[in-house]
Amino acid sequence: DSGVTQTPKHLITATGQRVTLRCSPRSGDLSVYWYQQSLDQGLQFLIQYYNGEERAKGNILERFSAQQFPDLHSELNLSSLELGDSALYFCASSAKTGDFTGELFFGEGSRLTVL
Amino acid sequence: GDSVTQMEGPVTLSEEAFLTINCTYTATGYPSLFWYVQYPGEGLQLLLKATKADDKGSNKGFEATYRKETTSFHLEKGSVQVSDSAVYFCALSDLDTGRRALTFGSGTRLQVQP
C-alpha cells in the first residue's frame, strides 16, 4: 500500500460527459502528480501541484483541469469526454520534506471508460 | 525535450533465466535515472535509481548502471522468478529543476514462465 488513495477505481461514462477523479496523497506529501496511461501513448505526465499551486504542466488537454485543495487532496476534471480519453489515470505524490529524491508514490489508478 | 526509449515487449523468459531490458535516454541536463515496476492491478513503485554517472542502483536482485557515455540505464537480473512478471518502466528526472516530474519510457512487459 503506497498510501495514495484514488477514487473512483472504475468509471464508465458517455462521450460529451464530464467526470471528476479524486486523489488523496500520502500523509504529509505536498506534491501531487497526475499521469495518464493508455495503450498507445504509454504513461504521460499531465500536471503537477505543490502545496496548492500548479508547479508544472505536461501533455494536458484544455478540456482537462486540476486543482489541489488546502487539505492537499487533488481533483482532476475531465470534460467533453471523447472515446480517446479512455485510459488509466494515476495520481502520485512526493516530497514529504523539501528534498525531492525522485521517488513518486503511485495510487492504484482510476480506470475511465468512455462509450 | 527529455525522452526515454525502452525495448519493445513483451519479454518472455523461463524461470532462472538472465534478464536484460534496454533503456536509453535523451536529456539536456544531467538527469537522475529510475526503474519503476508495475505489478498487475497496482500502481507503479520505485525499483531502483541512480543519480550520477557510473552509479549502480540495485534492489531485489535487479541492477542498473548509469552510463553517461552511452546514455543508457539497462536493467538486469541474473535469475528471474515468476513473481517478477510485471511491466517495467525506465524514467528520468532533472532534480535540479523545480519541475521534478518524471518522464517515463513506454514500459516493457516481462512474463516469466515456470
Side-chain angles (χ1 to χ4, degrees):
Chain A
D1 182 4
S2 67
V4 177
T5 303
Q6 289 187 247
T7 57
K9 290 194 187 309
H10 301 277
L11 189 56
I12 301 174
T13 188
T15 54
Q17 295 298 304
R18 172 190 170 95
V19 298
T20 297
L21 309 180
R22 183 187 167 101
C23 169
S24 294
R26 289 191 321 158
S27 176
D29 281 0
L30 300 179
S31 276
V32 169
Y33 307 76
W34 286 98
Y35 283 85
Q36 178 192 57
Q37 185 179 37
S38 59
L39 285 176
D40 56 344
Q41 294 288 330
L43 199 62
Q44 297 286 318
F45 167 65
L46 296 179
I47 198 163
Q48 176 201 356
Y49 279 83
Y50 179 82
N51 204 21
E53 295 191 0
E54 183 183 304
R55 176 63 65 93
K57 219 173 219 186
N59 300 321
I60 189 166
L61 300 172
E62 286 192 10
R63 300 183 285 109
F64 296 180
S65 65
Q67 56 184 325
Q68 186 179 27
F69 295 87
D71 67 352
L72 300 177
H73 91 271
S74 177
E75 294 181 355
L76 178 67
N77 301 297
L78 315 175
S79 61
S80 303
L81 286 169
E82 302 175 358
L83 296 178
D85 298 328
S86 296
L88 193 53
Y89 292 84
F90 283 110
C91 170
S93 72
S94 75
K96 195 177 279 289
T97 67
D99 294 326
F100 178 65
T101 64
E103 181 167 11
L104 301 186
F105 296 87
F106 282 80
E108 294 183 359
S110 293
R111 182 169 295 282
L112 172 66
T113 302
V114 182
L115 300 177
Chain B
D2 296 348
S3 66
V4 176
T5 302
Q6 288 182 235
M7 62 188 289
E8 293 279 335
V11 173
T12 302
L13 297 173
S14 298
E15 210 164 21
E16 299 184 1
F18 183 85
L19 168 71
T20 299
I21 300 178
N22 291 336
C23 170
T24 56
Y25 68 90
T26 302
T28 52
Y30 297 95
S32 291
L33 302 174
F34 308 84
W35 277 101
Y36 277 75
V37 58
Q38 183 180 25
Y39 297 104
E42 299 182 11
L44 283 73
Q45 54 188 275
L46 179 65
L47 180 60
L48 55 84
K49 69 178 184 182
T51 57
K52 60 183 188 295
D54 300 325
D55 267 3
K56 178 186 281 188
S58 61
N59 186 25
K60 298 182 182 179
F62 291 89
E63 293 182 340
T65 301
Y66 189 146
R67 301 286 187 201
K68 186 164 175 279
E69 63 277 12
T70 54
T71 61
S72 64
F73 193 55
H74 305 321
L75 182 69
E76 296 182 338
K77 186 175 186 184
S79 176
V80 294
Q81 305 300 313
V82 172
S83 57
D84 294 327
S85 297
V87 182
Y88 292 81
F89 292 88
C90 186
L92 66 81
S93 176
D94 187 345
L95 299 187
D96 291 331
T97 69
R99 185 172 181 268
R100 296 181 171 180
L102 297 180
T103 299
F104 286 91
S106 56
T108 302
R109 181 175 299 277
L110 170 66
Q111 297 173 331
V112 180
Q113 298 175 336

